[in-house]
Amino acid sequence: MPVNLLDFDSKRLAGFFAGIDEKPFRARQVMRWIHQCGEADFAHMNDLAKDLRAKMDACAVVEPPSLMSESTATDGTRKWLLSVGTGNGIETVFIPETGRGTLCVSSQVGCALECAFCSTGRQGFNRNLSVAEIIGQLWWANKALGRSPRGERVISNVVMMGMGEPLANFDNVVSAMRIMLDDNAYGLSRRRVTLSTSGIVPAIDRLAAELPVAMAVSLHAPDDPLRDRLVPINRKYPLKELMAACKRYIKVAPRDFVTFEYVMLDGVNDSVEHARQLIPLVKGVRCKFNLIPFNAFPDSGFRRSAPERIAAFRGGLMHAGLMTTTRKTRGDDIDGACGQLAGQVQDRTRRRARRTLEASA
């Protein structure tokens, strides 16, 4: 069966060429063709010898996920539903902004962590994505978006904030990020690749050792009882352990802070008192808060906090000297905003069936 070259970072691609009796520099050439030129047809790689192209044709492919559907929001946000086989589809979102373009990339089909306010978690979980399926989202988006009038790539930043928990698919996510950072591929800096995690502490330490990129942490609560309910992984890795891991990570991170993401849920975690409780929690952790107005989805059970409550919460944090921003909601009219990604998940956890039974009981 042919191997998919999208699965290979530079080290593995060099090993592939060694295995077919070719010199390692071929890996750099082919990386540039695949990722910089967006080329999937070996016949078009015209600086490679014909016999090499024939060898590659016999044992390899460049096969990204295929398009199932796409939609564009009124604000220019674009969302692609990409097929990853056996009835599963993942969602990838492009957010255009002045001076930059951000691609939100998925790491799993569904998510096993089941955060209470997240549509992806409601869909259940099927499997981890392969390296090819992760980097294939960036490959696909670059092809779809083309280049700017100046010949520059439209995508300047990547955030691992789509479907799934990236650190629960550690090896494949790290390999895909290595390709994102590779000068022969996408050439992004570590500051422009952000990984968002719900807080798997051992994997945070492992990421710090292997490939520290910018990091965002889904916090969403100032104490363990509330976070246990909203972010169930907290029961395994409570806030004291998570804050300690963040301090360790900052020592090697490309940015000298972590971003704490905090979804604003009306009457749940959005009071001024909740903001006050966050201040001692993050003491000694260089950080920035990003407040996220809740984005609704069917039967969520939550409401978005009123603007004045968000403003008061933000004011409480800023008064304490904590850098705080409120995220502008983008793409919500196509269900492409934070927390709304659902994709198409053949759930192996029977989570949706369980919820249906609970609702009818």
Side-chain angles (χ1 to χ4, degrees), residues 11 15 29 48 88 101 127 184 212 217 221 238 242 256-257 267 344 360:
K11 184 176 180 180
Q29 284 181 289
L48 303 180
N88 289 299
R127 63 174 176 84
N184 290 304
V217 174
L242 179 57
D256 62 353
F257 63 90
Q344 186 169 306
S360 62

Side-chain angles (χ1 to χ4, degrees), residues 25 51 60 63 131 162 171 197 221 223 283 346 352 355-356:
F25 78 88
D51 62 337
E63 189 171 76
V131 177
D171 291 334
T197 178
D223 58 56
K283 185 177 181 181
Q346 302 302 310
R352 280 175 290 180
R355 286 186 180 279
T356 301

Side-chain angles (χ1 to χ4, degrees), residues 50-66:
K50 285 185 179 180
D51 62 337
L52 172 55
R53 284 180 270 170
K55 276 189 195 178
M56 292 167 66
D57 263 328
C59 64
V61 293
V62 176
E63 189 171 76
S66 59

Side-chain angles (χ1 to χ4, degrees), residues 44-262:
H44 295 162
M45 300 180 183
N46 53 25
D47 62 349
L48 303 180
K50 285 185 179 180
D51 62 337
L52 172 55
R53 284 180 270 170
K55 276 189 195 178
M56 292 167 66
D57 263 328
C59 64
V61 293
V62 176
E63 189 171 76
S66 59
L67 180 67
M68 298 173 73
S69 65
E70 61 181 307
S71 48
T72 303
T74 54
D75 63 13
T77 298
R78 294 181 65 175
K79 182 174 76 169
W80 297 279
L81 177 65
L82 301 175
S83 172
V84 291
T86 60
N88 289 299
I90 54 171
E91 293 188 327
T92 306
V93 177
F94 173 70
I95 305 160
E97 300 173 272
T98 302
R100 72 178 191 176
T102 301
L103 189 71
C104 183
V105 171
S106 294
S107 57
Q108 296 180 308
V109 183
C111 185
L113 298 193
E114 203 172 0
C115 294
F117 49 83
C118 180
S119 180
T120 305
R122 293 290 180 93
Q123 302 308 305
F125 175 75
N126 185 273
R127 63 174 176 84
N128 287 332
L129 294 179
S130 67
V131 177
E133 290 164 341
I134 298 168
I135 202 65
Q137 296 169 67
L138 179 54
W139 188 96
W140 177 272
N142 270 321
K143 291 276 282 187
L145 296 168
R147 300 245 174 189
S148 73
R150 297 171 57 184
E152 298 168 338
R153 277 188 170 149
V154 178
I155 298 168
S156 61
N157 295 67
V158 172
V159 291
M160 298 297 306
M161 295 182 184
M163 296 171 64
E165 163 57 59
L167 293 184
N169 185 14
F170 188 93
D171 291 334
N172 290 346
V173 165
V174 166
S175 290
M177 292 194 304
R178 288 191 195 282
I179 298 170
M180 295 174 194
L181 301 174
D182 195 311
D183 287 340
N184 290 304
Y186 300 96
L188 297 172
S189 75
R190 294 187 188 214
R191 295 171 61 88
R192 290 183 177 269
V193 176
T194 300
L195 183 145
S196 176
T197 178
S198 296
I200 302 178
V201 167
I204 291 174
D205 289 329
R206 189 178 167 197
L207 185 66
E210 294 191 24
L211 194 73
V213 294
M215 189 172 74
V217 174
S218 295
L219 189 58
H220 310 307
D223 58 56
D224 284 320
L226 180 55
R227 195 165 190 266
D228 286 350
R229 180 160 67 93
L230 297 178
V231 187
I233 194 68
N234 192 73
R235 298 166 194 162
K236 187 170 185 179
Y237 304 112
L239 286 168
K240 183 178 179 180
E241 293 182 26
L242 179 57
M243 291 302 113
C246 289
K247 289 180 185 178
R248 294 191 295 271
Y249 193 86
I250 290 168
K251 293 176 182 178
V252 295
R255 294 178 175 172
D256 62 353
F257 63 90
V258 296
T259 299
F260 287 126
E261 298 166 318
Y262 197 100

Side-chain angles (χ1 to χ4, degrees), residues 202-360:
I204 291 174
D205 289 329
R206 189 178 167 197
L207 185 66
E210 294 191 24
L211 194 73
V213 294
M215 189 172 74
V217 174
S218 295
L219 189 58
H220 310 307
D223 58 56
D224 284 320
L226 180 55
R227 195 165 190 266
D228 286 350
R229 180 160 67 93
L230 297 178
V231 187
I233 194 68
N234 192 73
R235 298 166 194 162
K236 187 170 185 179
Y237 304 112
L239 286 168
K240 183 178 179 180
E241 293 182 26
L242 179 57
M243 291 302 113
C246 289
K247 289 180 185 178
R248 294 191 295 271
Y249 193 86
I250 290 168
K251 293 176 182 178
V252 295
R255 294 178 175 172
D256 62 353
F257 63 90
V258 296
T259 299
F260 287 126
E261 298 166 318
Y262 197 100
V263 66
M264 301 298 292
L265 303 169
D266 184 46
V268 177
N269 66 349
D270 65 342
S271 70
V272 172
E273 180 56 31
H274 287 124
R276 290 196 188 104
Q277 291 171 12
L278 285 169
I279 295 163
L281 174 69
V282 301
K283 185 177 181 181
V285 182
R286 293 192 297 276
C287 62
K288 167 186 171 182
F289 275 88
N290 189 5
L291 308 182
I292 306 170
F294 173 66
N295 296 303
F297 57 89
D299 302 318
S300 69
F302 296 105
R303 297 190 308 271
R304 177 182 292 187
S305 302
E308 56 269 22
R309 285 181 74 86
I310 296 176
F313 191 99
R314 180 184 178 189
L317 294 179
M318 293 183 71
H319 183 73
L322 294 170
M323 184 187 304
T324 310
T325 58
T326 302
R327 182 180 295 178
K328 182 179 179 182
T329 299
R330 302 291 302 271
D332 56 334
D333 56 333
I334 57 169
D335 292 335
C338 182
Q340 290 185 316
L341 301 189
Q344 186 169 306
V345 181
Q346 302 302 310
D347 181 26
R348 292 169 52 194
T349 67
R350 302 186 182 276
R351 187 178 303 161
R352 280 175 290 180
R354 187 183 73 238
R355 286 186 180 279
T356 301
L357 285 172
E358 289 172 352
S360 62

